[in-house]
Amino acid sequence: MRLVGLLICLALAACGRSVPPGARIVVAGDSVMAWNRNSGGSVADNMSALLREPVGDVATSLARVTEGVGPLSIPSQVARLSAEWVILDGGANDLREECGCTRCDAVLDDLVSEDGRSGAVPRLVAGLRGRGSKVIWADYYTAPRYAGTICVGPYLEYEARLMRMAARDEGVVLVDLAAVMPSSDLSLFAWDKIHPSPTGSARIARLLADTLQAERAKRGGGR
């Protein structure tokens, strides 16, 4: 029964995922990116409308950086990508499954070392950069369900490590989703108080689209 459940989960996770021909932007990662896709309101859907160009979407709910299988593996999602820009997140499901909110040092080290130089995330990013992609990494907001709890600590440490990673490569940009997703505004979150509501997904997309346009202008990249 567990195998059947996993297969169903994999099938559902793959629904709606695609990269249109010629897309120069692809969104990857976990449920923060994939949420609201069934209603046409995912982060990628909103970015495509804002930027007026096709945006690929390979994100899946439950996806992980270190232990995922098939589309539930974020490294597998991006393994064959060579888009101009890859926008992604990841790590929340690794932290949740492996350590909950306590004793997370080993899981954090597996994801990204304290100095930002090694770990699964830097390897993933290095692979994309090696194929010519520029990377925007979306750092998590604090979900209302976890605001004010001990769960905030590991994510703050994760953010600090990601910042050190991004600082080492001008082709990697870290964006803090908390800038547009304050935990105090419940209208931005779905019923579970974790994932973005349609309004939340639209806000995230706007932040990412604005960041991408600013980076393109800075690099003289046109659109």
Side-chain angles (χ1 to χ4, degrees), residues 144-204:
R145 177 177 288 187
Y146 301 116
T149 73
I150 61 171
C151 293
V152 175
Y155 287 93
L156 290 177
E157 174 62 23
Y158 188 39
E159 178 185 23
R161 296 181 183 205
L162 292 173
M163 289 175 65
R164 296 181 194 116
M165 176 192 72
R168 299 179 58 246
D169 185 344
E170 64 179 10
V172 180
V173 180
L174 185 72
V175 175
D176 186 1
L177 299 186
V180 296
M181 295 288 288
S183 59
S184 58
D185 187 348
L186 296 184
S187 72
L188 300 175
F189 298 91
W191 59 270
D192 61 1
K193 296 183 181 180
I194 297 175
H195 296 98
S197 67
T199 302
S201 290
R203 275 212 186 182
I204 292 170

Side-chain angles (χ1 to χ4, degrees), residues 28-34 60 62-65 74 88-96 108 111 121 137-143 146 151-152 154-160 162 174-183 189 194-196 204 207-208:
D30 59 27
S31 54
V32 170
M33 297 298 182
T60 60
L62 304 179
R64 297 171 64 173
V65 177
I74 296 172
L88 73 166
D89 70 347
N93 292 317
D94 303 75
L95 288 164
R96 179 177 59 84
L108 285 166
L111 288 168
V121 173
W137 190 280
D139 183 59
Y140 294 110
Y141 49 77
T142 298
Y146 301 116
C151 293
V152 175
Y155 287 93
L156 290 177
E157 174 62 23
Y158 188 39
E159 178 185 23
L162 292 173
L174 185 72
V175 175
D176 186 1
L177 299 186
V180 296
M181 295 288 288
S183 59
F189 298 91
I194 297 175
H195 296 98
I204 292 170
L207 175 63
L208 294 172

Side-chain angles (χ1 to χ4, degrees), residues 65 75 78-79 81-82 86 88 111-112 116-137 165-166 168-169 171-172:
V65 177
V78 304
L81 294 182
S82 56
V86 177
L88 73 166
L111 288 168
V112 53
R117 293 178 178 271
S118 62
V121 173
R123 287 195 300 273
L124 184 160
V125 170
L128 288 167
R129 296 289 292 129
R131 295 193 294 277
S133 297
K134 292 174 282 292
V135 174
I136 296 177
W137 190 280
M165 176 192 72
R168 299 179 58 246
D169 185 344
V172 180

Side-chain angles (χ1 to χ4, degrees), residues 93-105:
N93 292 317
D94 303 75
L95 288 164
R96 179 177 59 84
E97 292 293 331
E98 297 296 326
C99 67
C101 297
T102 60
R103 300 179 182 177
C104 290
D105 288 352

